[in-house]
Amino acid sequence: MGQFSGVCDRSLVILLFLGLQFPATAARGSRSDALQHGTSGTLPHFLQEPDDAYIIKSNPIKLKCRARPALQIFFKCNGEWVHQSQHQSQEHTDQGTGLKIREVMINVSRQQVEDFHGPEDYWCLCVAWSHLGTSKSRKATLRIAYLRKNFEQDPQGREVPIKGMIVLHCRPPEGVPVAEVEWLKNEEPVGSDGNINTRADHNLIIQKARLSDSGNYTCLASNIVAKRRSLTATVVVFVNGGWSLWTDWSACNVRCGRGVQKRSRTCTNPAPLNGGTFCEGMSVQKSTCNALCPVDGGWGEWTEWTVCSAECARQRRRECTAPEPKHGGRRCDGATLGTDNCTGGLCTQNRKLLHDAKPQGLEVSSDVALYSGLAAGVVTVVVLIVAVTLYRRNQSEYGVDVIDSSALTGGFQSFSFKTACQGNPLLINSSQQPDLTVSRTYTSPICFQDSMDKELISQEPSLFDPLPDLKVKVHSSFMVSLGVSERGAEYHTQKAHPQTFPRGLAPDYSGVGLEGTLRGRREKTLLGPLAPSTPSRPPLRTAGVFGHAGGRLVVPNTGVSLLVPHGGIAVDTTWEMYMVINQEDSSSTLSEERQEVLLSPEVTYGPLGLDLSCPVAMTIAHCAEVAADNWSIRLKRQTQDNKWEEVMSVEEESTSCYCLLEAQCCHLLLEHPGRYALVGEPLSQEAVKRLRLAVFGSADNTNPLGYSLRVYCVDDTPYAFQEVASAERVRGGCLLEEPKTLLFRGNSLSLQLSIQDVPQFLWSIKPFTTCQEFSFSQVWASNQHPLQCAFSLERYSPASSQLSCKISVRQVKGQEQILQVYTSVVESEKEVVPFFTQSDCTITSQMGSRAFKIPLSIRQRICATFDTANAKGKDWQLLAQKLCIDRNLCYFARQESPSAVILSLWEAQHQDTGDLDSLASALEEIGKVHSTHSTSSRTSTQTTTRTTATLGRSTEELDAEFT
C-alpha cells in the first residue's frame, strides 16, 4: 500500500513537469481534460459515501463509494490504504452531463474487524482524485453485531386492585446494536394507547388496571442478530368484595306477639374476583318485632233493671267494652238490650199485680216441696259416703291409691289396672314363666375418672345391673353421646372382666371429678332438680403442656374438647393449657329481655396470656334441635368484670370468630382465651330443646320390701348426664332402660310423668305419686341441671323379685316417650355390667402427631397446594367448598394460612370418626376436575393424587411412618 502511494506521488510530479516543459501541449491537454472531466477547478464530489455497518455472524461487509469527476478512488481503513487489488472499480459517463462517474467497492471480513485492536471502532473512508486535488468521504464504522441471552432484569408478576397502576420493568440483554423491546400479553403484541404506555424506558405502564388486563406478560428483545424472550410475569387484577344495599325488612314471622324480622345483603357490589377479599361484617340482620294481636270484644256488666213499666216490663243494657274489639277482633255475640216481664206474666187487666193477693193453697204446696227436697239431699249424701268408704277399703287390699288426684296431676286420666287374665308373666298365678334369656339392650355408662371407681363398683350395686343371665348389647347411639366407643359389642354379664374399667386421671386433676351430689333448688315435693350437698362444686378441669407440635385437650364424656393446631405455638415455646367446665350458677349468662336459655355448658380455656399464631378449635355439645327460624343461637363470652357479652350469632359472618353449628355440637374457631357458652333465644313456639330421659332403680334402705324408681329429665348433652350418673353411682342406682330423647317444644306447656302397668297383686305404690308433673319453666330453663321425680313401690311378698312396668313421659300437646322397666330387685341376683370405654375416658390430653387424624406431611402438602393463588380457581376456597365448610369465608381470608385453619376445623369436626374418607374424597374430586389443565396444573393434580393415595393408607402404616 505504501509503494502504491509512492508511485502515485511520482506520477503527479512527472505530469506537472511535463506541463512546464510543453505549455502548448499542456494547454491543449487542459482544455481536453476540461471538456472530458468538466469545468476547470472542480474537486471530486461524492455521490455515494460508505455507511456504518454491522457484521452479522461470518458474513463480510461491502463498502461502496461513487464520485464525479474522479480520476481515481481508493479506500483507506484505520489510517492505511487498501491495496488496489482489493478494489472493484467501475466507470461510466453521465448521460445528462457527459461527465465520468467512478464507482469503487471493497469487502471487509469479520476476521479483519476482530484482528483490529485500536482505540476506536474499525473504520473506512474513500479518497477521490481530480486535476485540482482530492476529496475525502465520511468515515464508516464497522462493528460485529451480537445479542446476549440473559435479560438484565426480567418482569415480575403483580397482584393489583382494579383501577390500580401496573408497572412491569424490563431491561433487555446487552447487544450491538442495542436491542429494541416489545411487550406481549398472552402471546399477542401490546400496543400503546391512552391507558397503556410501552415506550417508557422498556417498561410497561398501565395507568388504571382493568379486569381485562389480567394475563401473562412477556418482554421480547430483538436486534439484527436475534430475538430473546424474558420470563413470563403473571398479572392478576383482583376485585375486593363490596356489600350490596340492605334489602327491606321482612314481615314479622308471627301473626301475633313478639317475633323476628330480617334483612340481608350480599357481597356482590362488586363480588370478590381473582382472590379479592370478602366483605367484612354481617350479611344478615335480625330485629325483634311486635305484631298487634287481634282483641275479641267482651260484654261489660248489665245495668240495673229499670222500674217496672205500666206494661209490666223492665229493661237493662250492656256494652261491648270489656274489652272493646281491636285490631280485627270479633265483636260480641248477643243482644245489647235485655227485657223481662217483671210479674212473670201475672199482669191484670187493670194493670194490677195478681201476686198481691196470693191464695193460701199455693203457700202450703210450696212448703211441702221444700221439705221433700231436703230429705232427698240427706239420703244422697249418706249413700255417697258409704260407697266411697267401701270402695277405699276394697282398693286398700291391693295397696293402690285411686283417690282422684286431678288437682295434683293437672288433668291426668284415672289409673287403669290390669287383671290376672292378661297373662302378665310376673303374676303369681301366671301359667308362663318370664324368658330370662331374652337379649336386653343397654348402653355404655359414664367413664369414671379415678382409681376408686373400681372399689365403688365392686362394693355397691352398679348403675347398669340387669336381670341375671341377661345379655347386654352395647349400641352406638348412647355410646356416642357419652363419648365411648362406637363399636357395638355383646357380652354375657357373667364374663365381666375387672380390667374393663378405665384408668384414673393424673393426680393433679383427679380431685376435680364428678363426685358429689347435684345442685338445684331444695323442694319438699318429689319433683325438682337434685339438691346440692354444698353451695358449689369444684369445676371439671383438664390440662396439658403443649408445644409447637400442638395437640388436643378433652374433658371426658362431656362433649367438650379443644384442638391446638400444629404450629400454633412458637418453636421452643411451651404453654400449660387447660379447659374448665363451670358448675356454678349460670343465671348471669342469660338475658331476661330476650328470654334466653343456656344450650351448652360454660367452658373456659386458657391461660389468659396465651399467645397463638392461629386460632384453636373448641367443640361444645348443645341440646337445641336446630331448625330454620326457630332459634336465634349466639356465642357469648365473659368479660373481665364478670359480665357476658355477645361474640356473634351462629348465622352471621364475622372475621373475629367462626361457628360451625351441627345437630349435636358446635365447633368454634377462637383466638382469645376466656369463658364461652352457647345461648338460644326461641323465635317461635316451634323451638325445640332435646331432653334425655333415664330411669334408675335401687332398693329402699329404710324398707326391706321397698323399691324406688327415679326418672331424670336432663338437657341432651353428655355433660348434663354426667351429674345424673355421679349421683346414682353414689346412691347405688341401676340404669333400668336405655336413655331416650324427648323433643320438648317451647309452647309453655308442662311435662307430665306417670307410672303404668304396675302388677297390682304383687306391688303397691305410694299414694298420690302415680302421676307427677314438671312446669314448663322448670324444664325450659333447667340450665343443664337435671330434674328428678321418684316413684316409691313396695312388694307384698319377699318372693316377688321381678318388677315390670312402664313410665310415660309426655309434654302436653307434644311428644311422648315410654320407658320400659323390667328388672330384678334382689341384690344377690344382680351382676356387674362391664364398662366399655374409649380413649376419651382416660386420655384427657394428647400432644404431637398422635392427636391429629391428618399426618403432618400431608397437611403441609395440602396447605402448600391450596394457599397459593391459582388462575384456574384451585385455591383454599375450593377446598372449603369440597369439605362443606363454605360459610363465613371472610374469616379464613384474613388468616395467614387459610387451608391450615380449614383443616383444623375439619379435624375438630371429625375427631370421633377416626377416618380420612371425606378428606380423601374431596381431594380426589378436586384432582379430577382440574386434570385437564396445563402442565403446572397437572403437577398440582399429581400432588393431590399422591396426597389422596397417602390418605387412603391404613392408620397402622401412617403410625409406622411417623414413629
Side-chain angles (χ1 to χ4, degrees), residues 53-90:
Y54 297 94
I55 297 178
I56 302 173
K57 297 181 181 180
S58 298
N59 300 323
I61 293 295
K62 293 184 178 181
L63 298 180
K64 183 183 295 186
C65 283
R66 188 171 54 182
R68 71 176 180 187
L71 296 176
Q72 192 60 268
I73 300 176
F74 290 98
F75 273 93
K76 195 175 188 179
C77 294
N78 300 321
E80 295 184 0
W81 295 100
V82 179
H83 196 273
Q84 186 177 5
S85 61
Q86 298 179 7
H87 289 71
Q88 300 177 15
S89 301
Q90 291 182 358

Side-chain angles (χ1 to χ4, degrees), residues 449 504-513 539 541-545 576 844:
Q449 297 191 5
L505 292 176
D508 293 343
Y509 307 105
S510 59
V512 196
R541 177 187 177 96
T542 183
V545 178
E576 183 179 9
T844 60

Side-chain angles (χ1 to χ4, degrees), residues 527-530 689-696 710-716 720-721 724 740 742 744 751-753 773-774 778-780 782-789 807-810 819:
L527 302 168
L530 297 178
K689 189 168 82 166
R690 297 191 314 274
L691 300 179
R692 181 172 295 184
L693 311 176
V695 55
F696 290 81
R710 292 175 296 280
V711 182
Y712 294 90
C713 304
V714 302
D715 290 347
D716 188 20
F721 199 81
V724 175
K740 296 184 177 180
L742 177 75
F744 189 78
L751 186 70
Q752 299 173 343
L753 303 91
E773 184 172 0
F774 291 119
Q778 282 181 293
V779 181
W780 191 253
S782 60
N783 292 345
Q784 304 288 313
H785 303 316
L787 302 174
Q788 171 201 349
C789 73
I807 296 177
S808 170
V809 184
R810 63 180 291 268
L819 300 174

Side-chain angles (χ1 to χ4, degrees), residues 184-394:
L184 302 179
K185 173 190 172 186
N186 298 331
E187 305 304 325
E188 296 292 333
V190 178
S192 296
D193 55 22
N195 190 43
I196 301 177
N197 183 8
T198 60
R199 307 184 190 91
D201 193 21
H202 307 311
N203 299 328
L204 173 65
I205 300 176
I206 301 178
Q207 298 295 335
K208 293 184 178 180
R210 300 159 295 192
L211 289 177
S212 59
D213 292 328
S214 298
N216 297 322
Y217 288 82
T218 306
C219 181
L220 182 64
S222 62
N223 64 5
I224 59 177
V225 179
K227 293 184 178 181
R228 302 282 187 257
R229 292 173 59 93
S230 69
L231 297 178
T232 299
T234 301
V235 174
V236 177
V237 180
F238 61 85
V239 179
N240 293 325
W243 287 115
S244 65
L245 296 178
W246 288 102
T247 60
D248 295 334
W249 287 102
S250 64
C252 205
N253 64 337
V254 295
R255 297 182 59 188
C256 170
R258 187 169 180 266
V260 173
Q261 57 183 170
K262 298 188 295 186
R263 67 174 183 174
S264 62
R265 58 180 178 175
T266 58
C267 191
T268 56
N269 186 31
L273 291 175
N274 298 336
T277 59
F278 282 78
C279 306
E280 295 186 4
M282 298 183 299
S283 61
V284 177
Q285 280 187 345
K286 291 185 178 181
S287 175
T288 56
C289 56
N290 289 290
L292 296 178
C293 298
V295 179
D296 296 335
W299 289 113
E301 296 290 336
W302 287 101
T303 61
E304 296 291 335
W305 288 104
T306 60
V307 179
C308 193
S309 65
E311 289 77 13
C312 300
R314 57 181 180 176
Q315 296 180 341
R316 62 178 180 176
R317 303 182 66 86
R318 60 180 177 175
E319 300 293 337
C320 187
T321 58
E324 294 182 359
K326 295 179 181 179
H327 313 307
R330 296 191 302 270
R331 297 189 60 81
C332 304
D333 295 332
T336 303
L337 181 65
T339 59
D340 185 30
N341 190 304
C342 49
T343 64
L346 302 178
C347 192
T348 61
Q349 291 182 353
N350 57 1
R351 306 304 182 188
K352 291 184 178 181
L353 302 180
L354 295 181
H355 60 75
D356 291 341
K358 187 189 321 180
Q360 184 177 0
L362 182 61
E363 182 178 356
V364 174
S365 62
S366 298
D367 293 339
V368 173
L370 175 62
Y371 293 131
S372 299
L374 291 175
V378 171
V379 172
T380 301
V381 171
V382 172
V383 171
L384 286 175
I385 293 174
V386 173
V388 170
T389 303
L390 293 177
Y391 186 65
R392 288 177 58 88
R393 183 177 302 171
N394 183 34

Side-chain angles (χ1 to χ4, degrees), residues 756-776:
Q756 304 172 4
D757 296 348
V758 178
Q760 53 184 317
F761 297 104
L762 301 177
W763 292 84
S764 64
I765 187 170
K766 186 177 181 179
F768 298 104
T769 62
T770 57
C771 301
Q772 302 178 39
E773 184 172 0
F774 291 119
S775 67
F776 172 80

Side-chain angles (χ1 to χ4, degrees), residues 498-793:
Q499 294 182 355
T500 314
F501 297 94
R503 297 174 297 164
L505 292 176
D508 293 343
Y509 307 105
S510 59
V512 196
L514 300 174
E515 283 71 28
T517 55
L518 307 179
R519 58 161 57 247
R521 298 183 298 274
R522 295 181 178 270
E523 298 187 10
K524 296 182 179 180
T525 65
L526 296 174
L527 302 168
L530 297 178
S533 59
T534 58
S536 63
R537 294 173 292 123
L540 291 172
R541 177 187 177 96
T542 183
V545 178
F546 296 92
H548 183 70
R552 190 189 302 270
L553 276 178
V554 177
V555 182
N557 303 326
T558 61
V560 176
S561 63
L562 183 75
L563 184 140
V564 182
H566 175 87
I569 299 176
V571 182
D572 299 331
T573 303
T574 57
W575 285 90
E576 183 179 9
M577 299 182 63
Y578 61 84
M579 267 201 312
V580 180
I581 298 181
N582 178 41
Q583 294 179 282
E584 300 173 355
D585 185 15
S586 303
S587 59
S588 61
T589 314
L590 308 175
S591 171
E592 296 181 357
E593 298 179 358
R594 294 181 173 179
Q595 301 177 349
E596 291 177 339
V597 294
L598 193 63
L599 300 179
S600 74
E602 297 177 6
V603 181
T604 303
Y605 89 91
L608 293 179
L610 185 64
D611 183 16
L612 296 175
S613 61
C614 58
V616 298
M618 178 187 290
T619 299
I620 306 179
H622 66 82
C623 61
E625 186 70 10
V626 181
D629 298 329
N630 291 339
W631 283 102
S632 175
I633 300 177
R634 306 178 181 90
L635 176 66
K636 283 193 171 184
R637 176 175 55 204
Q638 191 177 35
T639 59
Q640 294 181 354
D641 55 357
N642 294 329
K643 294 183 179 180
W644 287 84
E645 63 179 3
E646 180 178 331
V647 179
M648 68 174 296
S649 172
V650 296
E651 297 180 0
E652 297 174 355
E653 293 188 356
S654 172
T655 57
S656 61
C657 183
Y658 190 96
C659 291
L660 178 60
L661 187 66
E662 294 185 329
Q664 304 289 335
C665 61
C666 184
H667 307 289
L668 307 171
L669 292 177
L670 304 174
E671 300 179 9
H672 304 288
R675 179 178 293 183
Y676 295 87
L678 288 176
V679 299
E681 176 188 2
L683 302 180
S684 68
Q685 293 187 354
E686 299 301 320
V688 173
K689 189 168 82 166
R690 297 191 314 274
L691 300 179
R692 181 172 295 184
L693 311 176
V695 55
F696 290 81
S698 64
D700 190 347
N701 296 329
T702 62
N703 183 0
L705 298 180
Y707 195 79
S708 175
L709 295 177
R710 292 175 296 280
V711 182
Y712 294 90
C713 304
V714 302
D715 290 347
D716 188 20
T717 61
Y719 161 73
F721 199 81
Q722 284 273 35
E723 301 192 39
V724 175
S726 300
E728 285 297 325
R729 181 180 56 157
V730 172
R731 67 197 310 174
C734 174
L735 182 65
L736 304 180
E737 168 70 341
E738 181 178 358
K740 296 184 177 180
T741 301
L742 177 75
L743 301 181
F744 189 78
R745 297 175 57 191
N747 56 8
S748 303
L749 299 178
S750 60
L751 186 70
Q752 299 173 343
L753 303 91
S754 62
I755 187 169
Q756 304 172 4
D757 296 348
V758 178
Q760 53 184 317
F761 297 104
L762 301 177
W763 292 84
S764 64
I765 187 170
K766 186 177 181 179
F768 298 104
T769 62
T770 57
C771 301
Q772 302 178 39
E773 184 172 0
F774 291 119
S775 67
F776 172 80
S777 60
Q778 282 181 293
V779 181
W780 191 253
S782 60
N783 292 345
Q784 304 288 313
H785 303 316
L787 302 174
Q788 171 201 349
C789 73
F791 299 99
S792 299
L793 298 94

